Amino acid sequence: MKITLPKLGTKDLATLAQRILSNSQSGKHPVISNHPLIETLQTSYTEYDKVYTKQIYSGKGKDVAMADQDRDIVYANLKAFLNGYRKLPSAVNYQVAEELYEIFKTFGLNLDRLSYSSQTAQMKKLIETLEIPENKQKITLLSLDSAFTEMKAKQQYFETLFAEQAEANADLRQMTSATAIRKDLEKNLKSYINLLTVMKDVPGWELCYSDVNEHVKAAKNSSLVNKNKNDTTP
């Protein structure tokens, strides 16, 4: 029974290990059921199974980008309203609009063009300043309470998503890669296959060897099929 394990695809290796473990733990083969090599093989397969299909990134990028776009829109609309209103001397409280617009200018009028982190930092300072009682009163005078509340909510939602994305990406980067641990699985599979090969003529081991040999053949065939698919050009 021979197989070149490093030539197996990532999923084919996992499938072979899973089938061999299921066979050894089925109770059909008492000679191998309590062998310490089975426990070692199970441990290495469990670690491999955790990561072999893992994502490289969290997949939250689109949600974060959409949340950023939403906060950009409400920020830009509020800023545009103040900019227009302050230019109407005939309008009631136009000077209040001028004062609030000056606060926006203090923290930059192009926040929506900054990086995620820079925009978040400046938006937090802007919101904190607008939360000061005298500024909140000005917001109320212009009937902008709802707009301001929406801007705060959009900002908070973005911060929450961004933090989740950062945490998820950090966890994925810390997770050991499948490539790094597959060598342990290959080594333990090879040891198990070699053991069965050596013991195949010993009474009680024949059926176990035969079952595993069929799984090995299936793995080799699957690997060849996948290789042929990859080599086929349209």
Side-chain angles (χ1 to χ4, degrees):
M1 179 168 32
K2 293 182 179 181
I3 184 171
T4 306
L5 295 172
K7 289 186 177 181
L8 292 183
T10 303
K11 293 182 180 180
D12 288 333
L13 181 67
T15 299
L16 175 60
Q18 191 274 328
R19 287 175 176 173
I20 286 177
L21 283 167
S22 294
N23 179 261
S24 65
Q25 296 166 352
S26 65
K28 291 169 55 181
H29 315 296
V31 291
I32 200 67
S33 59
N34 294 316
H35 199 284
L37 187 54
I38 295 300
E39 183 177 350
T40 301
L41 181 57
Q42 179 66 66
T43 299
S44 58
Y45 169 72
T46 298
E47 291 303 307
Y48 184 79
D49 186 57
K50 289 179 183 177
V51 299
Y52 83 92
T53 58
K54 79 179 182 72
Q55 293 176 293
I56 298 175
Y57 298 107
S58 66
K60 295 179 179 290
K62 289 184 179 180
D63 291 337
V64 171
M66 184 63 70
D68 177 58
Q69 184 179 11
D70 288 344
R71 72 171 176 172
D72 286 349
I73 291 173
V74 68
Y75 161 79
N77 288 342
L78 186 53
K79 179 183 67 174
F81 174 85
L82 292 174
N83 188 34
Y85 200 94
R86 72 191 180 96
K87 296 176 181 179
L88 298 171
S90 60
V92 178
N93 296 319
Y94 82 95
Q95 289 182 325
V96 173
E98 178 67 51
E99 291 165 3
L100 290 176
Y101 188 73
E102 285 298 317
I103 295 175
F104 272 70
K105 287 175 65 176
T106 299
F107 297 103
L109 296 175
N110 64 339
L111 299 189
D112 48 342
R113 298 179 184 178
L114 299 179
S115 67
Y116 286 166
S117 298
S118 295
Q119 180 176 351
T120 297
Q122 290 299 93
M123 287 279 285
K124 287 178 69 175
K125 292 178 182 178
L126 171 62
I127 290 171
E128 288 172 3
T129 302
L130 293 174
E131 289 272 31
I132 295 173
E134 68 175 279
N135 291 329
K136 286 198 71 175
Q137 186 177 13
K138 294 173 184 177
I139 289 172
T140 299
L141 284 173
L142 295 176
S143 300
L144 293 174
D145 296 277
S146 295
F148 181 52
T149 298
E150 183 182 9
M151 186 173 77
K152 289 192 296 181
K154 298 294 185 183
Q155 169 66 15
Q156 183 57 54
Y157 182 62
F158 173 84
E159 287 190 60
T160 300
L161 277 183
F162 188 74
E164 289 176 356
Q165 181 191 42
E167 182 178 356
N169 285 339
D171 289 344
L172 287 171
R173 282 192 291 269
Q174 290 174 4
M175 190 182 293
T176 307
S177 70
T179 300
I181 67 170
R182 73 170 283 158
K183 288 185 178 180
D184 284 338
L185 181 57
E186 288 175 4
K187 180 189 70 174
N188 293 326
L189 274 173
K190 183 177 180 181
S191 296
Y192 185 75
I193 290 171
N194 287 343
L195 172 65
L196 295 186
T197 300
V198 170
M199 300 295 290
K200 66 179 181 179
D201 295 325
V202 177
W205 289 80
E206 310 97 318
L207 183 57
C208 184
Y209 172 86
S210 178
D211 285 350
V212 171
N213 190 37
E214 290 303 312
H215 294 319
V216 168
K217 288 179 181 178
K220 288 193 289 188
N221 290 336
S222 178
S223 181
L224 287 173
V225 169
N226 289 336
K227 182 178 184 301
N228 290 334
K229 286 182 179 179
N230 291 334
D231 289 342
T232 301
T233 56

